[in-house]
Amino acid sequence: MPRDAAGHLTPGRLSPARVVPAHIARPEYVGKAAPTPARGDRYTPEEVERIRAAGRIAAQAVEAVGAALRPGITTDELDRVAHEYLVAHDAYPSTLGYRGYPKSCCTSLNEVICHGIPDDTVLETGDLVNIDITAYRDGMHGDLNRTFVVGGLEAAAPAARELVERTEEALRRGIQAVRPGRPVNVIGRAIESYARRFGYGVVRDYTGHGVGRAFHSGLVIPHYDAAPAHAEPLEAGMVFTIEPMLTLGTPEHPGTEEWDLWADDWTVVTRDLSLTAQFEHTLVVTESGADILTLP
Ligand code: MF3
Ligand code: CO
Ligand code: CO
């Protein structure tokens, strides 16, 4: 429902809280103001398989939401699809109750960079909609997102469609850059150098992160070239996300990295309200590269 006269998004109404069956284990932060800091970003092969199991459920939930997308549906109805998929597979929706976040996924449309809260916003043909889902099962979180176009890629204007396709390619290039012994900052360098070819902005203040036992471990993975910062070496067995957020620029106006936060304290929008897209995977560093843990 809520858009202003220019078609930009405005805050909507939230539905009542969704319930998670009692037999599903909660992450430690639920019911608290903030998580207890948990360090450690390396995992045994057995632990990696538990993250992969959680990540697979999250990826299948993203697919289920993608199959439900149509003009006229609300982002709250998408949240219900995500919630029901996760709990039906004995997973807890990690965002629900994380630092007070009220819903089971994030739905970020058009100028929303990330952390859009599902509400009574109605999807329209050609909207860019990012679905970000994290599943917690067997003590581990798996986190991914992808950007869809409502009505299919062809429903978007060419520039919007290219932004979506190239953001996915930027994630692919970030993953390709991963190798044990290389510095963390090779990932952002690969992403930023690709994005800049098209004049896109690269959001700097939201980053990839260590994930597994904790939803956000404290390990930071920038999506821009942070050198000489973040020279710490990638190590086999490390698990983290890569989740670039790119913004649409034009030859006259390069894409922005500037953002504003809505009064809900979650919704992050581009300052110039230009379009933005994001893709995310959780991965483990292997002896030869990276293994994606959030595939369906
Ligand atoms: N899944 C998001 C990420 O990629 C985090 C969402 S936190 C929330 O890191 F509280 F906004 F849901
Ligand atoms: Co993440
Ligand atoms: Co995420």
Side-chain angles (χ1 to χ4, degrees), residues 24-50:
I24 296 177
R26 274 77 173 141
E28 58 80 25
Y29 52 74
V30 174
K32 300 180 8 190
T36 302
R39 275 302 309 204
D41 292 295
R42 293 189 58 181
Y43 292 85
T44 66
E46 179 272 330
E47 291 168 331
V48 167
E49 291 317 306
R50 282 159 54 207

Side-chain angles (χ1 to χ4, degrees), residues 29-89:
Y29 52 74
V30 174
K32 300 180 8 190
T36 302
R39 275 302 309 204
D41 292 295
R42 293 189 58 181
Y43 292 85
T44 66
E46 179 272 330
E47 291 168 331
V48 167
E49 291 317 306
R50 282 159 54 207
I51 301 171
R52 193 192 306 274
R56 177 175 296 124
I57 293 167
Q60 290 169 344
V62 169
E63 286 198 330
V65 173
L69 286 176
R70 55 172 173 77
I73 198 169
T74 66
T75 53
D76 183 66
E77 291 173 270
L78 302 179
D79 182 71
R80 183 170 51 75
V81 172
H83 182 90
E84 288 180 357
Y85 192 94
L86 294 173
V87 302
H89 292 80

Side-chain angles (χ1 to χ4, degrees), residues 21-228:
H23 74 272
I24 296 177
R26 274 77 173 141
E28 58 80 25
Y29 52 74
V30 174
K32 300 180 8 190
T36 302
R39 275 302 309 204
D41 292 295
R42 293 189 58 181
Y43 292 85
T44 66
E46 179 272 330
E47 291 168 331
V48 167
E49 291 317 306
R50 282 159 54 207
I51 301 171
R52 193 192 306 274
R56 177 175 296 124
I57 293 167
Q60 290 169 344
V62 169
E63 286 198 330
V65 173
L69 286 176
R70 55 172 173 77
I73 198 169
T74 66
T75 53
D76 183 66
E77 291 173 270
L78 302 179
D79 182 71
R80 183 170 51 75
V81 172
H83 182 90
E84 288 180 357
Y85 192 94
L86 294 173
V87 302
H89 292 80
D90 292 328
Y92 184 91
S94 303
T95 62
L96 184 63
Y98 178 73
R99 298 181 183 271
Y101 188 85
K103 290 292 169 188
S104 299
C105 65
C106 300
T107 52
S108 301
L109 271 58
N110 299 337
E111 67 266 27
V112 179
I113 294 172
C114 61
H115 304 168
I117 302 175
D119 61 14
D120 61 351
T121 300
V122 175
L123 297 189
E124 298 176 3
T125 300
D127 280 341
L128 305 192
V129 53
N130 180 277
I131 305 299
D132 192 333
I133 296 181
T134 308
Y136 177 75
R137 203 180 70 165
D138 205 5
M140 297 293 183
H141 299 269
D143 180 11
L144 83 155
N145 71 51
R146 68 180 300 117
T147 300
F148 298 89
V149 179
V150 178
L153 266 186
E154 314 70 39
R161 171 195 171 154
E162 285 170 357
L163 174 69
V164 172
E165 292 174 335
R166 290 164 176 166
T167 305
E168 185 166 25
E169 173 67 13
L171 170 59
R172 204 188 64 77
R173 289 175 182 235
I175 294 170
Q176 281 290 121
V178 171
R179 255 173 184 277
R182 287 185 178 171
V184 164
N185 61 37
V186 298
I187 297 168
R189 190 172 310 136
I191 291 167
E192 183 173 30
S193 67
Y194 178 71
R196 293 279 184 228
R197 288 189 204 174
F198 311 106
Y200 295 155
V202 180
V203 175
R204 300 168 79 100
D205 296 331
Y206 294 86
T207 67
H209 52 92
V211 66
R213 285 176 285 268
F215 190 175
H216 297 97
S217 74
L219 170 67
V220 166
I221 309 291
H223 302 119
Y224 58 94
D225 186 355

